Amino acid sequence: MLRVAVVGSGPSGCYTAQGLVQRDPEVRVDVLDRLPCPYGLVRYGVAPDHEKIKSLQVGLRTVLEHERVRFLGGVRVGGPGGLPVDRLRALYHAVVYCVGAAADRRLGIPGEELPGSWSATEFVSWYSAHPDAADAGFLRGVRSAVVIGVGNVAVDVTRMLVRGAAELRPTDIPQAALDTLTASGITEVHMVGRRGPAQARFTTKELRELGGLPGTDVTVDAAELALDPVDPAALPAVQRRNVEVLRDWAARPASGAARRIRLRFFLRPVELLAEGGGVGAVRFERTAPDGRGQVTGTGRYEDVPAQLVLRSVGYRGVPLEGLPFDPVSGTVPNREGRVVRDGAPCPGEYVAGWIKRGPTGVIGTNRPCAKETVTSLLADAAALGRRDVPADPLAALRAAGIDPVPWCGWLAIERAEAELGARLGRSVVKLADWEALLEAARTS
């Protein structure tokens, strides 16, 4: 029997566990997660109004309920107070790290530390009820917001900033976030990219959602679209459709709705300007195509008023104490999923997901990534199985003072969230802090 620990219960972790138990009937998998709740970014990164994407939890649940898979929540690996990597390695024949890319890329411009300047991930964590998130007063006194970035996360946070109660109330958004968002005084959101629409990273489906928001105008500057020298007919299908949608919006007159989303292009942030102790505006430099797919500054500037700035310019992996780390790529060095130490692959230590390949692709991209890692691990299985490990790693974890939240504890959290929703006259409502989650888990 081969015992494997998978660290992380998001899509890459679940697909890794699924591949292992499907391909080898002798494998037993423990899926460890720092949080008492499973599903990773499907629970804590997908916007609450995207119920179809969130329904992927059904498939992940099937994996975690497999008879040879065990979910162990509330187990921190590495870092202060966490289980050391070498100690975890001693409990299992193999360990697969599926820990994602937890850090945000920064703008690196003056004023970025001003109150009112946040990463989009911090904002997403708040309205998704991540237990580490704090109610930081994101929307207090905010009339105008700037979202820097033109990917799907930027579209998500832009959409959430103008959503009304009627659209959010049926979702699982925590009550405090629902109350704050629906009472907000925001009237204008600028979503800004430094390059042109042909280089934007959002998908057409996500983009079109902005045009269907009740009580909201979407405006696009036709002059900015005209700056892009790329012939739309020569673009890949997604980018071509994006440009078509943007051109259609640019040709429409504004309806005078109470809220407005402005999509801006060829503007590079150079400074956040202070006002009243926090952000008051973003200074952008107008850019122009350089003929090589990038842009160059023009020396012309524009200040956009904003009391809230959300940067959505990408993610980076963070080092896990005890594992090698490449600071340039933000990944753990690996060959086909095997962790590389001192230039040589280390059978018994593996990676999958963003910490393996970098923050690229969509949720489904994790399937082939996990498959490659599973193939490498099972190729090493004969040698790995000769190592002596505890008959029951869970007992060893408990002996080390770690009391994991089992699957029944997660089911108790689910019940508590359904009960909270019923009391509030809503559907399921997420619990939003550690104490509430752990208290619910203890009722199992």
Side-chain angles (χ1 to χ4, degrees):
M1 180 186 299
L2 195 70
R3 291 197 174 275
V4 180
V6 172
V7 181
S9 65
S12 62
C14 287
Y15 294 151
T16 298
Q18 183 180 46
L20 287 167
V21 296
Q22 284 181 344
R23 292 176 57 181
D24 190 331
E26 296 300 315
V27 172
R28 300 292 187 272
V29 180
D30 285 349
V31 179
L32 282 56
D33 202 290
R34 183 176 68 87
L35 301 178
C37 308
Y39 311 136
L41 283 179
V42 177
R43 176 175 168 91
Y44 290 117
V46 175
D49 60 340
H50 274 183
E51 295 182 0
K52 184 175 181 180
I53 301 176
K54 291 173 73 69
S55 69
L56 290 171
Q57 292 181 16
V58 175
L60 304 185
R61 183 189 195 101
T62 300
V63 175
L64 295 174
E65 289 184 332
H66 190 281
E67 62 182 358
R68 288 185 282 118
V69 176
R70 181 167 57 179
F71 173 73
L72 302 176
V75 180
R76 181 189 294 272
V77 175
L83 182 69
V85 164
D86 58 351
R87 177 58 178 149
L88 178 65
R89 180 75 180 86
L91 300 181
Y92 294 89
H93 294 110
V95 180
V96 187
Y97 297 92
C98 304
V99 294
D104 294 274
R105 294 187 183 275
R106 301 184 65 80
L107 299 171
I109 61 175
E112 192 169 5
E113 304 299 332
L114 284 170
S117 168
W118 305 92
S119 72
T121 301
E122 290 171 306
F123 186 60
V124 170
S125 293
W126 168 71
Y127 68 59
S128 298
H130 194 291
D132 286 344
D135 184 352
F138 290 102
L139 304 183
R140 193 174 299 124
V142 175
R143 303 175 303 282
S144 176
V146 166
V147 178
I148 299 172
V150 283
N152 280 343
V153 175
V155 174
D156 279 350
V157 298
T158 296
R159 188 181 67 253
M160 290 295 293
L161 283 168
V162 299
R163 274 291 195 199
E167 300 95 60
L168 290 177
R169 189 171 178 80
T171 74
D172 64 1
I173 188 171
Q175 188 65 38
L178 172 64
D179 293 341
T180 299
L181 284 165
T182 56
S184 117
I186 286 183
T187 58
E188 192 164 54
V189 181
H190 305 255
M191 189 171 75
V192 186
R194 65 183 177 87
R195 295 194 292 174
Q199 291 81 39
R201 303 299 295 273
F202 42 63
T203 57
T204 309
K205 179 179 181 296
E206 293 262 0
L207 178 64
R208 283 180 173 148
E209 283 187 87
L210 296 180
L213 296 171
T216 304
D217 277 334
V218 180
T219 68
V220 181
D221 189 333
E224 291 179 352
L225 298 186
L227 290 172
D228 200 331
V230 180
D231 178 7
L235 291 170
V238 172
Q239 282 77 18
R240 184 175 67 251
R241 289 193 295 266
N242 288 344
V243 172
E244 290 169 356
V245 171
L246 294 167
R247 286 182 169 179
D248 180 55
W249 287 344
R252 292 183 187 178
S255 69
R259 289 179 169 175
R260 181 168 62 172
I261 295 172
R262 299 191 64 191
L263 274 66
R264 306 292 309 277
F265 298 96
F266 293 109
L267 292 171
R268 177 168 59 198
V270 295
E271 185 177 2
L272 303 189
L273 306 177
E275 181 180 296
V279 171
V282 184
R283 177 160 293 165
F284 290 97
E285 181 183 17
R286 169 66 65 191
T287 62
D290 65 0
R292 300 184 299 276
Q294 298 297 320
V295 292
T296 185
T298 64
R300 293 183 286 118
Y301 299 89
E302 177 181 343
D303 293 351
V304 176
Q307 299 78 45
L308 172 67
V309 177
L310 299 174
R311 67 178 185 275
S312 180
V313 292
Y315 302 91
R316 278 186 57 81
V318 296
L320 184 65
E321 186 177 345
L323 284 183
F325 186 74
D326 179 358
V328 176
S329 65
T331 62
V332 171
N334 71 93
R335 293 180 193 168
E336 298 179 329
R338 294 182 181 91
V339 172
V340 171
R341 291 180 180 271
D342 300 321
C346 276
E349 295 182 302
Y350 305 85
V351 284
W354 279 2
I355 198 63
K356 171 187 174 184
R357 68 181 190 274
T360 60
V362 295
I363 290 174
T365 311
N366 290 294
R367 283 190 180 276
C369 177
K371 182 179 179 180
E372 179 185 61
T373 297
V374 167
T375 299
S376 294
L377 192 157
L378 294 179
D380 302 335
L384 296 174
R386 290 194 288 268
R387 293 182 61 248
D388 289 330
V389 299
D392 184 4
L394 178 56
L397 287 171
R398 287 174 170 156
I402 298 170
D403 188 18
V405 173
W407 186 250
C408 62
W410 158 240
L411 296 181
I413 292 171
E414 278 193 320
R415 289 193 298 271
E417 293 183 335
E419 292 166 2
L420 176 60
R423 291 198 300 272
L424 295 172
R426 298 174 54 200
S427 58
V428 172
V429 175
K430 282 183 181 175
L431 298 172
D433 61 72
W434 280 98
E435 290 185 6
L437 289 167
L438 294 176
E439 182 180 352
R442 293 188 192 104
T443 66
S444 61

